[in-house]
Amino acid sequence: MEIKKKIVIVEDDPSLQQSLGGFLSSEFEINQTFDGETAERMIEEIKPDLVLLDLILPKKSGFELLEIMRQKTDLKDIPVIILTNLEGKRDIERALKLGVRIYLIKAFYNLEEVVKIIKRTLNDKNIKR
Amino acid sequence: MERLKTFFQTFNVKSQCEKYEIPLFQCPQFLFILMGLIIIVSIVAVYFTAQKYAEPEFLALIILVITAFLFIIGWTIIGAFEKLAESSRMKSDFISIVSHSLREPISAIKWELELWEKEELTIRAEKNPLFSRLKAKNQEISRLLNTIIDAYNIESKQIKLYPQPFSFDALVKKTIEELKLRVEANNFIIEFYAPDRLSSVFADPKKIQIILEHLFNNAIRYSPAHSKISVSLEEQGDFLKCAVSDEGIGIPREDTLKIFQKFFRSGNVYRYQESGVGLGLYVSRSLALLMGGNFGFNSIEGKGSTFWFSVPKYRD
């Protein structure tokens, strides 16, 4: 049996978390958390294949988390997909500067499209953060 | 004539100040004119006083008093500007916070519906019309909110574009497909004209889709049922042009200059469609220009309108 790829979902809206988690859990090993602090610990412990990250989060923001991940050698190559509703240029550019390659605005994507992008990212080994 | 009127309007201090919703003594325009008057009066006064009293100390004192007075007025003007800037900043923050917080639950509903629909389909194989209706309503809220956010981002220069080469006609067809439900519900006829081979364009597809949605949306909203909406694509030099024509109510001549202003809605639309915020054309035009294209329209009231926009072709 093939080992399921591990995804950490950091999302503070329980409803969004459930629908995302539910949609992905059949194919991937899903770990979810609501806040930035727990997320940091979780990512360090699990070393997932992919992180789905919201930007506005309690305790530690997505930006802070990205900065932390970038400084740690064992975390800096984990691909991150930003999944947020922040659409301002300032926010997007800040995330891109922190090494993010995929920045999705929730309002513009169906679940199915998000899943497609997740799969593509996981299969494409060349996509490093 | 219209321009002359707006020119004189700038001198109508009272109405200008009412626009800002601040009292007269705090209104920059009023204070500025007041300062000018004081300067003129004081110069004349100094002139005549100097004729009567020749002592330089006395004149210096008068000038000192006047300067102090002008300084106070200047200070008040700066204060008024600060107040205006502050209120404008607060308004922007308010829009940004509210729209972001509304987006989260709307996205959640969208995704929950998608899941539910999938689940239902596996049980019943047939789609409940309820889903389509709920989805359409949620889309409507989402679109409205997105328009407000776009307008805000355009104004605060916060729009981020992701230009890339893509097939324009495929995107237009896809957007028409997505609107099918609404089109069919109102018995519209959509016609699509495009040459067989079209160049790719270089633009942000999500933003192009937003423009298309606004144009289709307007065509549907302001046209009678059973009428025709035609979409055409053509190459024009280095650009690809897309035009959406309807047989709707059209735009009154006197409104043609104002149609791209924010929150402007033409006089004749209220009789026809009450809802709407008047941001769609402002957003569409701004986006087209930002992507290096152009945007325009021609219209005859009562006959119909054609709105068009162009985007640059992709060059290898």
Side-chain angles (χ1 to χ4, degrees), chain B residues 92-111:
Chain B
S92 304
D93 285 354
F94 175 77
I95 294 171
S96 164
I97 291 166
V98 169
S99 49
H100 181 261
S101 349
L102 281 174
R103 244 186 183 177
E104 290 282 320
I106 291 168
S107 306
I109 292 173
K110 180 178 74 179
W111 287 358

Side-chain angles (χ1 to χ4, degrees), chain B residues 16-77:
Chain B
Q16 289 280 325
C17 293
E18 273 166 4
K19 201 168 69 190
Y20 296 136
E21 291 172 356
I22 48 175
L24 202 62
F25 65 88
Q26 275 192 330
C27 175
Q29 267 99 339
F30 172 72
L31 289 171
F32 198 72
I33 289 175
L34 184 69
M35 194 151 86
L37 281 175
I38 290 174
I39 291 172
I40 293 166
V41 170
S42 2
I43 289 170
V44 174
V46 169
Y47 175 77
F48 284 113
T49 329
Q51 279 184 337
K52 234 178 162 183
Y53 308 96
E55 297 93 341
E57 297 87 357
F58 189 67
L59 282 176
L61 188 70
I62 293 173
I63 291 167
L64 197 74
V65 170
I66 293 166
T67 315
F69 199 60
L70 290 176
F71 184 77
I72 292 167
I73 293 179
W75 190 257
T76 326
I77 291 179

